[in-house]
Amino acid sequence: MKKLLLGDEAIAQGAIDAGLSGVYAYPGTPSTEITEFIQLHESKRGADAAPIFCRWCVNEKTAMEGALGMSYMGKRAMVCMKHVGLNVAADAFVNSAMTGVNGGLVVVAADDPSMHSSQNEQDSRFYGKFAMMPVFEPSSQQEAYEMIGKAFDMSESCRLPVLMRITTRMAHSRAVVDITESPRRQNEKRFPEDVRSWILLPAFARRRYARLVEQQSELVRLSESSSHNSYRRGEEPSRAVVACGIAYNYLKENCPEGCKSSVLKISQYPLPEALIGQMVADGAEEIIVMEEGQPVVEEMMRGLVPSTVAVKGRLTGELPRMGELTPDSVRKALGMEALPSREADDLIVPRPPALCVGCGHRDMYTALNQVAAEYKDARIFGDIGCYTLGALSPFHAIHACVEMGSSVTMAKGAADAGQWPSVAVIGDSTFTHSGITGLLDCVNSRSNVVIVISDNLTTGMTGGQDSAGTGRLEDICRGVGVDPAHVRVVVPLPKNMEQIKSVLREEFEYDGVSVVIPRRECIQTLKRHAKQQKKQ
Amino acid sequence: MKKDIILAGVGGQGILSIATVIGEAALAEGLFIKQAEVHGMSQRGGDVQSNLRISSQEIASDLIPVGGADIIVSLEPMEALRYLPYLKKEGWIVTSSVPFVNIDNYPDIEALREHLDRLPNRVVLDVEQLAREAGAPVQSANMVLLGAAVPMLDIEYEKIEAGVRRIFQRKGEEVTAKNIAALRAGYDNSKK
């Protein structure tokens, strides 16, 4: 059966068809649509079909651990996140290679080269290598669909988690995908045979690590025989191209009749050493490595080929050092002339994203800016979400934004250093993701901070997913130990401006931990809910 | 048959609905499709584009190369010009003439019009006005624009209309009829 699917949706469909029992995820561009697709599928599930767990998790670490627990029970589990989410999940992720798996466990990390919607372009393949796990990197939506099933099979046969790494253009591009008519059934519940492998006490862990090290050569052999890796000797084998993941598509785009150079397609890691050896034996004198993200393979390649072979790519300037690949950058690296094109129009100006008209974050920033201006040197630490756009015109409100939850703890650190007023601005979903622990630090240190939790009752930036703490934020703050008199709720609307400002002023003046919660539903989800109601 | 189309606009204007309809029609025709979209932060009122490729042969790249687009279909005149380097020499621009001004330094509208007029292959329409005249809400302006692009698509009008019908049918007969009226208005005006 043929369906038009986003890469993310092809992965979701592939997992469903491979007998998935649970997907564990926190929303993050460009990975969000994987879980959303499974949620939609679940909402239409027939009464006799086995359920798939698909509720959003609080953060990527809890997601990774939940999936590991499901794998422990012998069932197939998938974890999905954006690349920086893997930093949050890293402790569980790296150690899941130590415990190994029972039911198949696949971790999907969606990298965002060119930073379309992210703060860096870290390459998740490093994590795979670091944790010594097999890594899959599909080149097309069809391959992504097929690979997920293979990843689960391999995870169960090797007893290891498998990392699937995709990038924005794979995640957010649609293509026609041929899907199976006969999906696999879910695994039955089954405890692991060797409980000790799941108890990472040093004595047991050393044995596990020895096993993991020993398995590496087997993983290389599996890469060498994988149908997803292929080597083809070219007419002119002195030059070879190594194309990883979707780079292979850009290569094919530019050489529709086939390439004169030898071509090594890589979609499964660790690197297929025998295929690289064959490429050199065929006379490769120059190897151009094309890969999305960081020069991971380019660096490793240097250790695998004789020093007389020139390895080229992002590090040597044949391809740009930063940003995603394009058919054009690959064309240039192949030494082909650019297609004839027009000059850019000189009238064009950038149109940066902005907070929606009518958004509650806008009223929050208007009030905060006015109160902060009454002080000589207020510092406002921002966080990750729509409200990061408060950094841009017209607000220019925040002085830092680093990673999930950092507003709270950076405001605390600044207060420790003597800053006053020291303010954090964090959204409700980001607060439950990684802000609560920082708030406990503030309480324990009696820090002089004002934590603004701008609550729009949703995870807005990624399209309005459920937010883990909705309806319980005050309870959470009081439970962590914030003085109830200094947990204040306001409604961010222009008509309430004077009241919001006076609440902020009072909390700026209070020497201790204050939480101010401006609360009004995201206007995007409000519109959606109104539409749904009208339908009913 | 092979058409590389850049859909452009401002986040929230509805360029993805255009892509959905063309995709639906192309799928029914048994064509290959690739369509790269923009999600996440950039959708919030910023410039957005989608690369839509349809072909009777398999398509390799999700992205259209510079100088490779057959058509730019844009819901906003400045956004139409943003992707000019991607347009083939003989390519077409089909754009709304209605500026969406949400930035302080939006270029002079007359100058913008003049730049568009310099292009030999262009269709510039007030799609919002045409939607109203067709008795459709202004949200259907994207279907007017799609209608205007149909003559350059190499897919018959009836097949695109059938695509609109299939996409909108779950929203009821009235919504479907209005979107088809909008599509028709764009198509008729494009041929003039």
Side-chain angles (χ1 to χ4, degrees), chain A residues 407-429:
Chain A
S407 61
V408 176
T409 15
M410 282 185 73
K412 177 197 179 290
D416 294 343
Q419 168 61 27
W420 180 78
S422 191
V423 182
V425 173
I426 186 168
D428 50 312
S429 184

Side-chain angles (χ1 to χ4, degrees), chain A residues 70-150:
Chain A
M70 183 164 270
S71 163
Y72 184 99
M73 294 303 298
K75 295 198 167 242
R76 289 188 164 188
M78 181 163 72
V79 196
C80 309
M81 59 193 79
K82 66 184 293 167
H83 57 342
V84 287
L86 197 45
N87 299 333
V88 179
D91 199 0
F93 173 78
V94 173
N95 284 305
S96 69
M98 292 288 287
T99 59
V101 309
N102 189 22
L105 177 57
V106 177
V107 182
V108 182
D111 292 0
D112 189 17
S114 287
M115 302 181 238
H116 296 281
S117 209
S118 307
Q119 72 270 51
N120 75 27
E121 18 178 90
Q122 65 182 63
D123 191 316
S124 297
R125 293 176 300 169
F126 276 119
Y127 265 112
K129 186 170 162 47
F130 182 48
M132 304 172 78
M133 265 181 215
V135 179
F136 283 22
E137 189 186 12
S139 66
S140 69
Q141 290 79 357
Q142 182 71 44
E143 190 173 35
Y145 170 77
E146 290 163 13
M147 260 189 164
I148 276 286
K150 289 193 185 171

Side-chain angles (χ1 to χ4, degrees), chain A residues 137-200:
Chain A
E137 189 186 12
S139 66
S140 69
Q141 290 79 357
Q142 182 71 44
E143 190 173 35
Y145 170 77
E146 290 163 13
M147 260 189 164
I148 276 286
K150 289 193 185 171
F152 276 113
D153 290 347
M154 182 172 171
S155 173
E156 287 176 358
S157 63
C158 295
R159 326 280 325 144
L160 282 176
V162 173
L163 174 65
M164 181 178 280
R165 184 252 187 173
I166 57 171
T167 55
T168 302
R169 292 300 166 190
M170 165 60 63
H172 285 166
S173 178
R174 274 173 219 281
V176 181
V177 179
D178 200 358
I179 68 172
T180 180
E181 309 276 346
S182 47
R184 181 185 179 278
R185 287 167 61 95
Q186 292 191 19
N187 289 352
E188 294 299 323
K189 237 168 28 184
R190 163 174 59 84
F191 289 129
E193 283 156 22
D194 178 14
V195 169
R196 276 186 307 179
S197 72
W198 290 83
I199 304 171
L200 295 180

